[in-house]
Amino acid sequence: MNSYERVERVLNGEIPDRVPTFELMIDPKVIRGITGNDDYMDLCDELDIDVVISQTPSKLYREEVLDAGKQIVRNEWGIMRQYNNEVVSHPLHGPIETLEDAQAYKAPDPLEDFRFDYLRELVRRFKGQRFIGFHLHDGFNYSYYLTSMQDMMINLIEEPELIHRLVELSVEHNMKLAEKALDIGADFILSGDDYGSKTSLLVSKSHFEEFFLPGLNRICQMVQGRGAYMLKHCCGNINPLMDDLVGFGIRAMHPLDENSGMDQVRLKETYPGLTVMGGIDCDEPLTDYTEEQMEAYVKGVLKTHAPGGRYICATSNSVHSSAKPENFAAMQRAVHKWGRYLPSGELDWR
């Protein structure tokens, strides 16, 4: 059974030969520490990572440097972003302040060919062998990227038409990205917008229902209508939205961070058609454990999360720059060693 077949079985509620693996993002420092180069695809081959995915959505857009010392850039959306030690830059402020700005604003062309170069390379190298995804946004993140988080929160109350316009811009743009990605050969689309904090949703459930969930549902229905799989990354405590997200047909969710109150084992029981992705704390285990401790820790997570299938092992967010390369490699080895299934769906530790 190859990686593609393994992941497809899990997403369809069947039992594969072993637990599949996935990472949303892996820092180049970690990749270099394992392979000796920065090539994510080489790493996926070396560690036999089953689910592969395109770069973070911010990498789809050209950037102009505004302040090299402070690492501040402005991208094609007109959004100012700042880099630190991690792969993903932090949004500072967008170009839109008023409804008039939003009505006059034109989003970047989603179909510019270079945006799909990385996906094409994934397809060329892994099609039919590993499960290939394309990472994009839905309607939530751009509603504050194009303004600011503070302005978005205020305008949900004071200028709702502005937020509706920003959401529509984003959904239309990302629908076109998704359609072309599927044409090129992606097996799944993953929306990466984060909806929660450690303890709660970032905005009220009623605001999600009014402003943001309908656009996500449109993307989901289009993807499923094309015969592909829709997956969702969403940090934080999103328990109040789970009925909606699963109801849209989302087949797997990541990372369902248990440090934010997301109980993956309970969610598997509550939503029999949902595959959960995560389980491995990306903080202390990756930064401080020995390789032996890492193996024992992963074995314990597999023991609780993997029985019955519908589980893909991943970290609780991403493999960041502070992670030890040897610990991430030990994590992958442990899944391969201890994540084997019996036909019954129990783990085979004989």
Side-chain angles (χ1 to χ4, degrees):
M1 184 179 299
N2 67 20
S3 290
Y4 177 89
E5 295 162 338
R6 182 174 298 123
V7 176
E8 191 167 52
R9 283 200 181 187
V10 170
L11 294 178
N12 290 330
E14 301 168 2
I15 302 298
D17 56 344
R18 68 160 170 82
V19 173
T21 56
F22 167 69
E23 284 303 328
L24 184 69
M25 288 180 286
I26 306 171
D27 191 272
K29 295 177 187 175
V30 177
I31 298 174
R32 284 196 299 272
I34 296 171
T35 66
N37 63 43
D38 291 349
D39 195 312
Y40 162 76
M41 298 179 214
D42 284 353
L43 180 78
C44 292
D45 273 337
E46 182 156 335
L47 297 182
D48 200 12
I49 296 173
D50 298 287
V51 184
V52 299
I53 193 164
S54 63
Q55 297 166 306
T56 179
S58 62
K59 297 298 184 185
L60 296 175
Y61 306 99
R62 300 179 185 94
E63 294 175 338
E64 132 187 52
V65 177
L66 300 181
D67 188 324
K70 293 182 179 179
Q71 301 186 77
I72 296 175
V73 301
R74 180 168 52 220
N75 69 13
E76 291 179 74
W77 290 86
I79 299 166
M80 293 175 60
R81 303 181 67 104
Q82 185 170 28
Y83 284 93
N84 49 31
N85 293 324
E86 303 301 324
V87 171
V88 182
S89 57
H90 177 70
L92 299 176
H93 205 285
I96 294 175
E97 295 186 2
T98 67
L99 177 59
E100 290 73 23
D101 291 340
Q103 290 171 334
Y105 179 83
K106 184 176 180 181
D109 180 357
L111 301 181
E112 280 210 56
D113 209 49
F114 78 92
R115 304 196 202 285
F116 303 92
D117 287 347
Y118 197 86
L119 175 63
R120 288 192 182 93
E121 182 59 23
L122 288 173
V123 170
R124 185 197 66 78
R125 185 158 173 174
F126 295 130
K127 187 62 178 176
Q129 300 301 310
R130 303 192 188 280
F131 212 71
I132 302 168
F134 190 72
H135 187 179
L136 46 69
H137 284 301
D138 49 78
F140 185 75
N141 280 22
Y142 276 109
S143 68
Y144 68 88
Y145 286 178
L146 287 165
T147 56
S148 69
M149 178 64 83
Q150 176 176 301
D151 288 345
M152 185 268 283
M153 297 284 192
I154 293 170
N155 285 322
L156 287 169
I157 305 298
E158 294 190 352
E159 192 68 272
E161 188 178 347
L162 169 57
I163 304 303
H164 280 301
R165 171 63 179 156
L166 298 179
V167 170
E168 183 64 18
L169 281 168
S170 179
V171 170
E172 288 295 328
H173 181 92
N174 284 285
M175 287 272 284
K176 291 176 181 176
L177 286 174
E179 288 171 343
K180 185 161 182 175
L182 295 175
D183 289 342
I184 289 169
D187 300 308
F188 71 92
I189 299 298
L190 180 140
S191 162
D193 296 45
D194 293 329
Y195 298 164
S197 70
K198 280 286 186 182
T199 57
S200 66
L201 298 176
L202 290 173
V203 302
S204 71
K205 186 173 189 295
S206 63
H207 280 139
F208 270 105
E209 290 170 341
E210 177 180 353
F211 292 93
F212 306 115
L213 293 184
L216 173 63
N217 191 23
R218 281 176 58 196
I219 298 174
C220 291
Q221 299 316 308
M222 183 278 291
V223 170
Q224 293 170 82
R226 292 284 304 270
Y229 295 86
M230 187 73 196
L231 279 58
K232 184 80 180 82
H233 163 86
C234 205
C235 290
N237 189 317
I238 57 169
N239 280 306
L241 299 181
M242 288 300 298
D243 284 352
D244 296 288
L245 300 178
V246 175
F248 294 164
I250 291 172
R251 299 293 285 274
M253 295 197 60
H254 170 271
L256 298 174
D257 183 6
E258 293 173 309
N259 291 328
S260 298
M262 303 302 295
D263 185 335
Q264 290 197 1
V265 175
R266 181 187 64 80
L267 289 169
K268 278 179 57 173
E269 295 170 352
T270 304
Y271 303 104
L274 180 69
T275 293
V276 300
M277 307 169 72
I280 305 298
D281 191 328
C282 68
D283 291 326
E284 185 182 5
L286 285 183
T287 60
D288 295 342
Y289 281 15
T290 65
E291 292 178 59
E292 292 75 18
Q293 288 174 319
M294 194 75 205
E295 179 178 354
Y297 168 65
V298 172
K299 184 178 180 182
V301 172
L302 292 171
K303 183 177 181 180
T304 54
H305 290 52
R310 291 183 292 109
Y311 174 62
I312 295 174
C313 190
T315 65
S316 60
N317 188 288
S318 58
V319 183
H320 48 82
S321 63
S322 299
K324 293 180 182 177
E326 59 269 27
N327 281 14
F328 180 60
M331 170 187 162
Q332 301 303 311
R333 291 194 301 270
V335 177
H336 285 65
K337 180 178 179 180
W338 300 109
R340 301 185 308 271
Y341 281 110
L342 293 166
S344 64
E346 298 301 307
L347 293 176
D348 182 6
W349 285 359
R350 294 174 295 181

